[in-house]
Amino acid sequence: MCGITGIIGKNAHEQIYVVTEAISHRGPDDSGIYLGDNIALGHKRLSIIDLTINGHQPMSTLDGRYTIVFNGEIYNYTEIKEAIKEKYTFKSTSDTETLLYGFIEYGTELFNKLNGIFALAIFDNKTNELVIARDHFGVKPLYYSQNSETFSFSSEIKALVKVSDFDKTLNEHAFANYIYFLWSPGEETPFKNCKKLLPGHYIKINTKNLKDFKIQKYYEIPFNGVYSDKSEEDLINELDEKLTNAVNRQLLSDVPVGYFLSGGLDSSLIVAIAKKIYPEKQLKCYTIKTETNSEREGFIEDLPYAVKVAKYLNVELEVVTANIDIVRDFDKMIYHLDEPQADSAPLNVANICKIARQQGYIVLLGGIGGDDLFSGYRRHQFLYYNKKMRLIPYFLLKHISDLSKILKYNSALNRRFKKLFSVYNVKDSLTQMSLLFGWLEQEKVKSLFVHGMKEFNPDNFLKNSLKNIPSECSELNQMLYWELKYFLTD
C-alpha cells in the first residue's frame, strides 16, 4: 500500500529515519529518504506498477528541482503521460513519475485531472514550497501536525508520534465522536494537534516559513440538486459501462490481482465484471468462514452465497477460516488502525490478506463502498418509510419513542427498534437523519467525561457540512453525502 512521511524543521534530517521506519509495514519492497534544506521526506514502497528501480521513491526530476513521495495508484496516468510526453523525458513506466511531471505542467490543477487514489507530497527546492494532497474521496490516509518550529505529515499517526516535539495532548471531542459514531468525522484525531487532511484538499507550506501555510479545497462531491432525465434503461446501461471501466482500471498492475468475494452484491458484481472482461482467465477469490453466530446479531451468513457465486462464475474460491485469537490479534489490529473503530471486519480482512500474500497475490479487489454509494443501509430505508410515518401525529411518535427506551439492548431486533424510534424525540427531519448515525444516546456519551462535554453536539457537525452542497434538497442525497464524505472515509 506504500507509506509517506515528511518533516520540516531543524531536526528533520535526524528524525526522518525513525519516523519512516514506524510505517515500514506499509512498504516491504523498497524504502528511501530525501534530505533537503530544512526538510526531509521518507517513503516505504509496496511495488505494484513498474517493479524496477526506476520506480524508487523519493523520486526527483533530472535537474533535482522537484521531489515527490506518493502513496496510491493513478488509473489514468497513461492518458496524462500521453498529453505531456513531448515536453518531458520519462525514464520509467510508473504513475509516480507521471504525477511528478504532471504537477510541473499543471500545478495543483493536476489533482482534478486524476482518476485514482493518492496521498502525495511534492517539494520544489527552488521556491521552498511543499504541496501535500489527498485524493478526492480520502481513500488514502494523510495526517499532519504543526507547531511553531516543526511541521510533519505521514500516512499514519504512529509515525508522527515519533517526532520529538509532537504534542500528545488528548482530544476529548474526538473520543466522544468515537464513542458516539464509532468513528470520528472530519479533521479530528485522538490528539488535539494532529489533524486529518480532508479528502479533496491540499496543503501549501513554505519550508523556510511555517506560518506561510494554507489549506485549499480542490474538489467537492457534486451533489447539486440537478438530476438526470434519462430513462431507467439508459441509466442502467451507463452504470454498467462506468462499473466495467472502473474495474478494468483497477486491474492495472504488474503483480497478481485477486479478489475478496464475500457473497454480497458488491464483491460478487466486481468479480462478475472482471470475469466478463477476462473470460478465459482463472480468477482467484478469497472469502471468510466465521465461527460466530451471525444470525444472532442480525446478520445473514454470506459464505453459502460466496460458494454459489464462485461456482456460477467458474472462479477459484479459497475459504479462509476466521482463526481469530482476540488476545493475540486485538492489540495488533488497534496498532495498525491508528484510530479507534468498532468493526471486527479488519480482523477477518487481515486473515485473508495473510493467506493471499503467502500465495503470491499482492493486490486484492473488494466491494467496500457499495452500500455507501447505492443506499444499501437500513438508515437509507428509514427515509423511505419515514415519509409514511410522518402521516402519524407527532405526539404519538414521541410517545412510542419514550416507550422504546425501556427496551434492553439484548437482541438485534430490540436495538434496531430502539434506534428507529429514538429519532422521534425531535421533529425536524435533518436532525432525525443525523441521529441515525449515532450508536449511543448523546447524554450517555457526555456523562462518560469528567468535564461533561457540554458543547458536544455531533448532529451539528453533520448538518453544518451540508453547507458544502447548498443546492441539494434530496434527503437521500444529503445522507449519501454524509456516507461518502465522512462514514466511508473515516
Side-chain angles (χ1 to χ4, degrees):
M1 66 178 90
C2 296
I4 63 175
T5 59
I7 307 174
I8 302 172
K10 60 182 180 181
N11 295 319
H13 291 191
E14 291 79 8
Q15 298 192 74
I16 192 64
Y17 296 94
V18 174
V19 169
T20 306
E21 191 59 29
I23 58 168
S24 58
H25 50 272
R26 296 184 70 91
D29 299 327
D30 193 14
S31 64
I33 299 292
Y34 168 84
L35 302 178
D37 187 6
N38 205 45
I39 182 174
L41 303 173
H43 187 264
K44 289 288 183 178
R45 185 184 184 199
L46 176 69
S47 302
I48 296 175
I49 296 175
D50 192 341
L51 311 186
T52 71
I53 192 65
N54 291 329
H56 176 78
Q57 296 186 51
M59 181 182 291
S60 298
T61 52
L62 294 175
D63 62 4
R65 175 174 172 177
Y66 296 91
T67 300
I68 185 174
V69 286
F70 159 59
N71 166 34
E73 193 167 7
I74 306 302
Y75 308 122
N76 66 334
Y77 82 95
T78 53
E79 293 98 308
I80 294 172
K81 184 176 181 178
E82 185 68 23
I84 63 174
K85 68 178 183 180
E86 301 300 328
K87 298 178 67 174
Y88 303 96
T89 301
F90 290 86
K91 64 177 183 179
S92 76
T93 59
S94 72
D95 48 357
T96 308
E97 190 175 27
T98 300
L99 278 177
L100 186 56
Y101 288 112
F103 181 81
I104 297 170
E105 180 70 16
Y106 301 115
T108 56
E109 293 298 315
L110 169 71
F111 305 142
N112 264 324
K113 297 178 182 291
L114 300 177
N115 180 338
I117 52 178
F118 57 87
L120 60 84
I122 300 175
F123 175 56
D124 180 346
N125 69 19
K126 184 176 181 179
T127 63
N128 298 312
E129 186 173 76
L130 178 69
V131 174
I132 305 166
R134 191 178 182 196
D135 63 66
H136 306 70
F137 291 94
V139 177
K140 290 298 182 181
L142 195 58
Y143 300 90
Y144 68 94
S145 180
Q146 185 176 21
N147 59 41
S148 60
E149 296 185 347
T150 306
F151 174 88
S152 55
F153 69 89
S154 178
S155 300
E156 298 187 18
I157 297 175
K158 64 178 65 64
L160 300 181
V161 175
K162 298 290 185 180
V163 178
S164 59
D165 57 355
F166 179 81
D167 185 352
K168 296 181 181 179
T169 304
L170 297 180
N171 183 355
E172 287 187 342
H173 194 277
F175 283 110
N177 278 339
Y178 293 122
I179 296 167
Y180 178 72
F181 289 111
L182 310 185
W183 43 277
S184 183
E187 293 181 310
E188 297 195 68
T189 77
F191 299 103
K192 278 188 176 180
N193 203 37
C194 178
K195 304 293 184 183
K196 289 175 269 191
L197 180 60
L198 293 177
H201 285 65
Y202 65 83
I203 292 171
K204 275 188 178 181
I205 186 169
N206 190 301
T207 59
K208 294 298 182 67
N209 178 13
L210 297 188
K211 292 181 180 179
D212 185 359
F213 170 94
K214 74 171 183 177
I215 297 179
Q216 183 74 35
K217 179 164 70 173
Y218 69 86
Y219 176 82
E220 185 56 87
I221 302 171
F223 284 108
N224 54 18
V226 179
Y227 311 115
S228 174
D229 58 0
K230 294 179 181 179
S231 68
E232 182 176 351
E233 182 180 2
D234 286 342
L235 288 171
I236 289 171
N237 291 334
E238 183 180 340
L239 176 61
D240 182 64
E241 181 182 355
K242 287 181 180 294
L243 287 172
T244 300
N245 288 340
V247 172
N248 197 27
R249 286 183 184 275
Q250 293 273 347
L251 296 175
L252 181 67
S253 173
D254 292 332
V255 296
V257 177
Y259 302 82
F260 290 104
L261 178 57
S262 69
L265 285 175
D266 313 329
S267 62
S268 300
L269 181 59
I270 286 172
V271 175
I273 291 172
K275 188 68 176 177
K276 182 176 72 173
I277 296 171
Y278 296 107
E280 304 302 321
K281 192 173 182 178
Q282 181 59 49
L283 306 185
K284 177 73 174 187
C285 302
Y286 296 86
T287 195
I288 199 79
K289 179 181 180 182
T290 59
E291 303 296 328
T292 57
N293 187 347
S294 300
E295 293 184 10
R296 185 183 64 194
E297 293 299 320
F299 298 102
I300 298 171
E301 179 61 54
D302 284 337
L303 180 59
Y305 297 103
V307 173
K308 191 172 184 178
V309 170
K311 185 177 180 180
Y312 178 79
L313 295 176
N314 190 28
V315 297
E316 183 181 352
L317 181 65
E318 180 98 14
V319 180
V320 179
T321 302
N323 181 26
I324 298 172
D325 182 334
I326 291 296
V327 175
R328 181 194 65 208
D329 297 339
F330 193 71
D331 285 358
K332 181 180 179 182
M333 191 53 58
I334 290 173
Y335 174 80
H336 282 295
L337 286 172
D338 263 6
E339 293 187 67
Q341 58 138 290
D343 193 342
S344 62
L347 291 165
N348 292 330
V349 170
N351 276 315
I352 289 177
C353 291
K354 182 179 179 181
I355 299 298
R357 177 81 191 197
Q358 290 172 354
Q359 296 179 353
Y361 287 89
I362 312 301
V363 175
L364 296 177
L365 298 191
I368 292 173
D371 288 314
D372 313 78
L373 283 167
F374 297 107
S375 59
Y377 293 129
R378 290 185 178 90
R379 54 180 171 253
H380 305 138
Q381 295 172 11
F382 167 84
L383 296 180
Y384 172 80
Y385 292 112
N386 194 38
K387 292 178 181 177
K388 296 174 173 57
M389 296 291 283
R390 287 172 184 167
L391 300 175
I392 302 172
Y394 176 72
F395 77 90
L396 283 177
L397 291 173
K398 180 72 165 64
H399 185 60
I400 296 172
S401 177
D402 292 337
L403 287 175
S404 70
K405 293 178 182 179
I406 66 175
L407 291 174
K408 298 183 182 298
Y409 288 98
N410 58 356
S411 74
L413 183 61
N414 279 2
R415 290 196 299 272
R416 287 168 185 162
F417 190 82
K418 282 172 71 74
K419 188 168 184 178
L420 170 63
F421 284 99
S422 68
V423 304
Y424 292 111
N425 277 314
V426 294
K427 264 189 174 181
D428 77 282
S429 58
L430 209 54
T431 302
Q432 288 176 353
M433 286 164 52
S434 66
L435 286 170
L436 293 170
F437 285 81
W439 284 88
L440 190 64
E441 292 91 336
Q442 291 179 25
E443 292 306 313
K444 286 188 177 180
V445 174
K446 293 177 183 180
S447 71
L448 296 173
F449 292 83
V450 173
H451 302 298
M453 294 295 292
K454 292 179 181 178
E455 296 179 2
F456 178 66
N457 192 327
D459 304 322
N460 284 347
F461 178 88
L462 292 179
K463 289 190 291 186
N464 288 338
S465 73
L466 295 180
K467 293 175 182 177
N468 292 318
I469 51 170
S471 300
E472 184 56 74
C473 298
S474 160
E475 288 185 344
L476 178 58
N477 278 356
Q478 288 172 339
M479 186 176 279
L480 290 177
Y481 178 78
W482 291 340
E483 303 286 2
L484 297 175
K485 189 79 171 183
Y486 302 113
F487 177 75
L488 188 58
T489 304
D490 298 314

